[in-house]
Amino acid sequence: MTHPFLDLAPLSAGRFAAIEDRVARLLGTRQDVVIMQGEALLPLEGAIRAAAGPGTVALNVITGPYGQTFGNWLRDCGATVHDLAVPFHTAVTAEQIRGAFAEHPEIDFVSLVHAEAATGNTNPVAEIGEVVRAHGALFYLDAVASVGAEPVLPDAWGVDLCVIGAQKAMGGPAGVSAVSVSERAWARMAANPNAPRRSYLSLLDWKERWIDGGRTALLHAPAQLEMLALEACVERIEAEGLQTVMARHASAAAATRAGVLALGGLEPYVDEAKDAAPVATTLRTPPDVDASALVARALESDPALPLAAGGGALAGEMIRVNHYGPDATPGAVQGSLAALGAALAEKGLKVDLEAARRAAEEAWDRPTGPGLSPTDTGA
């Protein structure tokens, strides 16, 4: 039996390197970019285990569940960790980071999530990067959810380890991911005796056996279909224009927020619009309305709508409108608002579906997403 997905010539080292180069251009970075053969948790954990150890003093910023995970990994590496946790309905500020350095000047590693799709907030990385750079700490950033929805600029922001995934705003595959690595980060890894070696987690293996070797021989057989899907994903973004892709996500977020405020019955989970992530909008249900049940009822009208209840303890009170990738469209936003409004009306809550529709439509063309000028995106 033959199949076009199965009968492919092996992916060459040259093609692999060319895809890495395109991802680097997407990030506007001159740093080394390594595409790792697994979901983004692979480079997220690998980068921490490579760069952190018993001598590391880390500031771990927690604005959602991933920040909590990073703190666990850092402690497991033997690092001394100072957590800076802020309420999930807000964002961390550069001033809070500056205060943490003042209290613990020995901090030499900072971990931060750019946008938390799980909680719907986004953090001001450019401002935070200035503070981190001034103190000389290594800066680790999870930009998995934000890339494609808002600017991600490792070089301009002083990010030493920037991890991205394609499965959200980029609208690509989940099976491969990438990390940009600064020279400072490579030096930190090389000096760490506990950094993974001969391991699937090892970034140093990629550095020594792939990058230093001129990118002529791959470490192992690549995830061929996922790499080709990533290439197609980047091609699509290049054809549409990164600025346009980000503008769509900002429009989707602005339209969803405006529509919800006009609808009634729900309210934005993130208090300030400036702190709301373009990748997803989170909503708070009334105390007597279970979010999971409301989402289930809304999805009965259209199971393809990008709606989900919050995770874990938030499942009963939070709704996520995941307007990213192919769902960053007016239709996905309007469909989500209509389905949620109908489900709320069934429960006897007063809603205004027509006002929500008009508000979302009007807001689409005047988004208020963060940093969308051509100079910010490298366009």
Side-chain angles (χ1 to χ4, degrees):
M1 177 179 178
T2 63
H3 193 284
F5 285 163
L6 301 178
D7 302 322
L8 295 172
L11 193 72
S12 68
R15 183 84 170 270
F16 193 104
I19 298 171
E20 284 185 335
D21 291 341
R22 295 177 84 161
V23 172
R25 287 195 294 273
L26 183 71
L27 297 175
T29 184
R30 295 180 179 274
Q31 298 177 2
D32 291 323
V33 169
V34 177
I35 297 179
M36 300 193 76
Q37 305 298 282
E39 198 271 337
L41 281 173
L42 175 64
L44 285 169
E45 182 175 359
I48 281 182
R49 295 195 180 278
T56 302
V57 180
L59 172 64
N60 180 52
V61 182
I62 301 176
T63 59
Y66 280 100
Q68 295 170 328
T69 297
F70 300 159
N72 293 337
W73 286 339
L74 286 161
R75 290 180 175 89
D76 190 54
C77 290
T80 299
V81 182
H82 300 286
D83 287 325
L84 172 56
V86 302
F88 289 177
H89 58 270
T90 64
V92 72
T93 66
E95 192 55 39
Q96 288 173 304
I97 302 294
R98 189 174 289 110
F101 275 113
E103 187 175 355
H104 303 285
E106 68 278 16
I107 290 170
D108 61 4
F109 184 99
V110 175
S111 53
L112 174 70
V113 178
H114 187 183
E116 287 268 11
T119 51
N121 57 32
T122 191
N123 293 301
V125 183
E127 299 169 19
I128 292 168
E130 290 183 11
V131 178
V132 176
R133 188 162 54 242
H135 285 80
L138 207 70
F139 193 9
Y140 163 101
L141 183 70
D142 171 356
V144 174
S146 56
V147 65
E150 54 187 306
V152 176
L153 301 169
D155 294 9
W157 297 343
V159 178
D160 296 287
L161 293 159
C162 182
V163 177
I164 67 167
Q167 69 267 32
K168 287 190 167 64
M170 289 177 64
V176 287
S177 48
V179 54
S180 65
V181 187
S182 71
E183 289 300 323
R184 291 198 323 144
W186 284 131
R188 179 78 70 96
M189 295 179 202
N192 180 8
N194 297 320
R197 298 292 189 113
R198 302 295 179 184
S199 163
Y200 209 59
L201 283 171
S202 178
L203 283 168
L204 282 175
D205 286 357
W206 283 97
K207 169 76 164 97
E208 295 170 358
R209 299 169 56 194
W210 170 245
I211 295 172
D212 293 349
R215 298 194 300 177
T216 59
L218 289 161
L219 274 66
H220 47 72
Q224 172 136 313
L225 293 179
E226 287 80 2
M227 288 296 295
L228 295 175
L230 176 61
E231 182 181 50
C233 166
V234 176
E235 283 179 353
R236 185 169 60 186
I237 292 172
E238 291 171 347
E240 185 176 357
L242 179 58
Q243 177 78 6
T244 302
V245 175
M246 291 192 296
R248 274 198 296 108
H249 285 83
S251 292
T256 303
R257 191 176 185 94
V260 164
L261 290 171
L263 177 68
L266 301 170
E267 61 183 34
Y269 183 82
V270 177
D271 291 343
E272 302 289 336
K274 67 179 178 60
D275 297 333
V279 72
T281 297
T282 47
L283 309 172
R284 193 187 304 274
T285 57
D288 57 343
V289 175
D290 180 77
S292 295
L294 190 71
V295 166
R297 184 69 183 97
L299 288 175
E300 288 181 13
S301 64
D302 184 355
L305 289 172
L307 296 172
L314 298 174
E317 65 181 71
M318 178 195 283
I319 294 170
R320 289 168 44 191
V321 184
N322 295 316
H323 44 66
Y324 54 70
D327 288 317
T329 64
V333 171
Q334 292 285 9
S336 297
L337 291 171
L340 289 172
L344 287 166
E346 284 185 2
K347 292 185 172 295
L349 278 77
K350 183 178 180 181
V351 295
D352 192 332
L353 291 168
E354 178 58 21
R357 185 196 64 77
R358 288 197 309 269
E361 188 175 78
E362 292 168 3
W364 184 271
D365 292 322
R366 48 178 174 80
T368 56
L372 289 171
S373 73
T375 53
D376 284 341
T377 64

